[in-house]
Amino acid sequence: HVKQQGHNAIHFFDNGVNQQAQQHQQLNDGLRRAQSNGELFVQYQPRFDIDGQRILGAEALLRWLHPEQGLIPPLTFISLAEESGMILKLGPWALQQACTDAMEWNRNSPYPIPVSVNLSPRQLRDPELIPDICDALRVSGLAPELLELEITESVVIDDINRILGTLYELRDMGISLSIDDFGTGYSSLAYLKKLPVNTVKIDRSFVIDIPGNTDDESLIEAIITMAHSLRFKVVAEGVETRAQQAILKKLGCDELQGFLLARPGSCEELIELARNSHSDSDALSEILLRH
Ligand code: C2E
Ligand code: MG
Ligand code: MG
Ligand code: MG
């Protein structure tokens, strides 16, 4: 009987593993189809100055519109694509799309707005990364100064010796680098100082409970103070309320990204927003000039 049970248990376990592997396989096949069927697209979420007046950049965020399942969020497929290696196809596609769209909005915008593209750990270790980026810039015509790459803090910690050369090469090309989801890993800013990085993006999890959570407020304040002393720019992610904006301003944060100011949208929506944000500042300077 015991043996019988054990056998069943193993059988059951196998089924569970198989089922998951099968689901992963399906999702990966789906992704491959998605790319050739045009089910993937990129949205852009603007980043604003601390007062929310002017757009200073826009982050490219990958989307998958599945014909039956609807919109699938990146968190459910990026990590899988990372595991399977599919990200080495999706990543360069998203990069190319983002550069092409950034070229388009910069043609239509009264002032230059850079695009930020997320890079996955696997892309950073891919020898094709630099050639892919050169291709994306050349095909789109986008100036490297208008491209920013976001890398997560954990990548930096795990793989620093392997990727340091790549990071310097990107910097020398004129591309900016930012550290995404800052605060979720265990790296110190002093350590990041050794990297050719310009910006840290404070993770949404620190912003979500302010004002009120004094631990988070202190942490944010410490990050901002230290980041500034090392000449990093600080962006807060996931800003959803006026109260959060106000305290981030008080703590000296430079830029904001979040649903309060704008949700991710199409390239056309970004062009429209940039037009309005420009005419607002125009109107403001006209008023100031009259007085
Ligand atoms: P991330 O790079 O930290 O991007 C910010 C995420 O926060 C986005 O989620 C954005 O929609 C969301 N967000 C922005 N403001 C708010 C807010 O006020 N409230 C809330 N609740 N959320 C906000 P999204 O688009 O679902 O992307 C999730 C993650 O997927 C990204 O996190 C990034 O790590 C990854 N990702 C997205 N696109 C790409 C890509 O093209 N390549 C790679 N490698 N990763 C990507
Ligand atoms: Mg990001
Ligand atoms: Mg982030
Ligand atoms: Mg995040």
Side-chain angles (χ1 to χ4, degrees):
H1 266 107
V2 170
K3 199 179 172 190
Q4 183 69 37
Q5 250 178 359
H7 179 79
N8 282 343
I10 288 168
H11 197 72
F12 177 76
F13 178 73
D14 275 355
N15 273 343
V17 169
N18 280 336
Q19 213 178 349
Q20 205 191 17
Q22 217 178 337
Q23 275 172 358
H24 283 188
Q25 182 67 43
Q26 270 173 11
L27 204 55
N28 270 317
D29 291 346
L31 263 177
R32 209 163 291 124
R33 257 199 331 267
Q35 195 173 16
S36 44
N37 290 356
E39 294 164 25
L40 298 176
F41 63 104
V42 182
Q43 285 194 320
Y44 302 94
Q45 186 181 33
R47 200 168 79 199
F48 291 80
D49 68 316
I50 193 69
D51 293 313
Q53 296 294 325
R54 201 177 163 88
I55 295 177
L56 299 176
E59 177 172 13
L61 296 161
L62 195 55
R63 300 288 181 256
W64 178 7
L65 186 59
H66 192 282
E68 283 113 42
Q69 293 171 45
L71 197 64
I72 303 181
L75 287 180
T76 60
F77 67 86
I78 295 275
S79 59
L80 194 68
E82 173 85 20
E83 267 172 53
S84 69
M86 187 63 195
I87 193 74
L88 299 180
K89 297 226 156 38
L90 300 184
W93 180 84
L95 180 74
Q96 177 66 67
Q97 188 64 46
C99 290
T100 304
D101 284 342
M103 194 63 193
E104 178 67 15
W105 78 58
N106 278 296
R107 233 196 301 278
N108 288 286
S109 168
Y111 61 94
I113 299 176
V115 65
S116 303
V117 179
N118 292 286
L119 282 190
S120 82
R122 191 138 171 186
Q123 284 178 276
L124 269 169
R125 285 187 258 108
D126 181 16
E128 289 306 306
L129 177 69
I130 302 271
D132 283 345
I133 291 173
C134 290
D135 278 355
L137 291 172
R138 187 176 39 75
V139 170
S140 64
L142 189 74
E145 290 72 21
L146 291 178
L147 177 62
E148 184 176 81
L149 299 172
E150 299 193 1
I151 60 181
T152 54
E153 192 188 0
S154 53
V155 181
V156 182
I157 305 166
D158 297 343
D159 243 2
I160 187 61
N161 291 324
R162 242 169 125 174
I163 63 164
L164 200 57
T166 305
L167 298 184
Y168 275 100
E169 212 172 320
L170 293 169
R171 201 265 319 260
D172 291 344
M173 286 167 70
I175 294 166
S176 314
L177 292 170
S178 62
I179 301 293
D180 205 355
D181 305 335
F182 188 79
T184 56
Y186 296 93
S187 60
S188 69
L189 281 165
Y191 165 81
L192 294 187
K193 177 66 184 161
K194 299 189 186 116
L195 309 180
V197 165
N198 326 64
T199 304
V200 296
K201 298 184 79 173
I202 299 179
D203 193 64
R204 191 166 75 83
S205 57
F206 294 95
V207 174
I208 202 159
D209 291 327
I210 61 163
N213 184 324
T214 48
D215 286 347
D216 285 348
E217 284 173 31
S218 307
L219 264 167
I220 291 177
E221 185 171 25
I223 291 173
I224 293 172
T225 304
M226 202 167 174
H228 281 168
S229 72
L230 297 169
R231 282 186 284 280
F232 291 131
K233 188 171 68 185
V234 182
V235 180
E237 292 190 308
V239 180
E240 294 185 354
T241 68
R242 289 276 166 222
Q244 288 169 344
Q245 179 183 21
I247 186 147
L248 286 162
K249 182 175 180 175
K250 199 185 90 186
L251 297 176
C253 186
D254 303 298
E255 297 180 17
L256 305 176
Q257 190 177 332
F259 294 171
L260 172 69
L261 298 164
R263 288 182 178 258
S266 66
C267 178
E268 289 73 27
E269 285 171 294
L270 184 70
I271 291 169
E272 198 53 38
L273 273 175
R275 201 170 281 141
N276 293 338
S277 108
H278 179 70
S279 50
D280 280 352
S281 52
D282 265 2
L284 184 64
S285 45
E286 268 172 41
I287 291 166
L288 292 176
L289 277 175
R290 262 187 260 132
H291 287 274

